[in-house]
Amino acid sequence: MMLTDEHGLPVSLHIESASPSEVKLIEPLVDCAITPLPKNARLLYDKAADSESLRWFLREIQCVRLISPYRKRRNETAARRLNKRDRNYYRKRYRVERTFAWLKNLRRLQVRHEYNPQNYKAFWIVGILFTMLKKL
């Protein structure tokens, strides 16, 4: 998982096996950021991050606002919707997807061939450095 800033430049990287859910991986990702996230920052994510415990952790401990669509739940009559301001921020999520597309141009990162996670993370860091050098 990767955390980017508003321009699409990577801020944090966390490598983990495929078995844990994404909701459990967001907390270590935010904790290992290069610089602490500013207060009242916004974290854009997809429906996989719809968790009340994650929203509480980000809001109370990290002072970060999670903007992700709510999943339709069986026990709710109607799913909650994002307000207009959050929808406008959520439209900027293409910057994150664009960063992943830049990194997937490097063949070594398309599929995880490395057995050792440290080697795989090193290739991601090299790929991030190459994309940052291209941006400069």
Side-chain angles (χ1 to χ4, degrees):
M1 296 185 75
M2 185 173 32
L3 181 68
T4 64
D5 64 357
E6 64 269 7
H7 304 293
L9 296 175
V11 174
S12 177
L13 178 69
H14 183 72
I15 303 291
E16 189 72 36
S17 66
S19 57
S21 65
E22 291 183 17
V23 174
K24 294 178 182 174
L25 298 177
I26 294 175
E27 291 178 20
L29 179 72
V30 172
D31 287 338
C32 71
I34 296 169
T35 59
L37 297 176
K39 289 197 175 219
N40 299 325
R42 293 174 184 91
L43 178 67
L44 305 178
Y45 210 80
D46 56 1
K47 286 185 180 183
D50 184 23
S51 168
E52 288 302 320
S53 62
L54 177 65
R55 288 181 192 274
W56 179 86
F57 170 77
L58 291 173
R59 182 178 55 246
E60 299 297 326
I61 298 181
Q62 297 287 337
C63 297
V64 174
R65 185 171 178 200
L66 178 66
I67 299 176
S68 69
Y70 289 90
R71 285 189 255 172
K72 291 183 181 178
R73 297 191 177 106
R74 290 185 211 165
N75 58 357
E76 291 183 6
T77 56
R80 291 174 259 175
R81 300 183 190 270
L82 293 175
N83 59 20
K84 189 173 183 178
R85 181 180 295 163
D86 289 348
R87 268 186 272 137
N88 289 338
Y89 280 111
Y90 194 72
R91 288 185 185 136
K92 296 177 182 179
R93 192 167 179 272
Y94 75 91
R95 296 174 182 169
V96 177
E97 301 299 333
R98 178 185 62 190
T99 304
F100 277 112
W102 287 339
L103 290 169
K104 293 295 181 174
N105 285 335
L106 303 171
R107 284 182 162 185
R108 195 73 180 222
L109 300 178
Q110 287 180 356
V111 179
R112 184 174 178 171
H113 296 292
E114 302 298 324
Y115 179 75
N116 195 351
Q118 286 86 11
N119 292 347
Y120 188 62
K121 187 171 185 176
F123 281 116
W124 270 94
I125 291 171
V126 169
I128 288 169
L129 291 174
F130 279 142
T131 55
M132 291 177 105
L133 286 174
K134 285 182 187 177
K135 290 283 287 183
L136 294 175

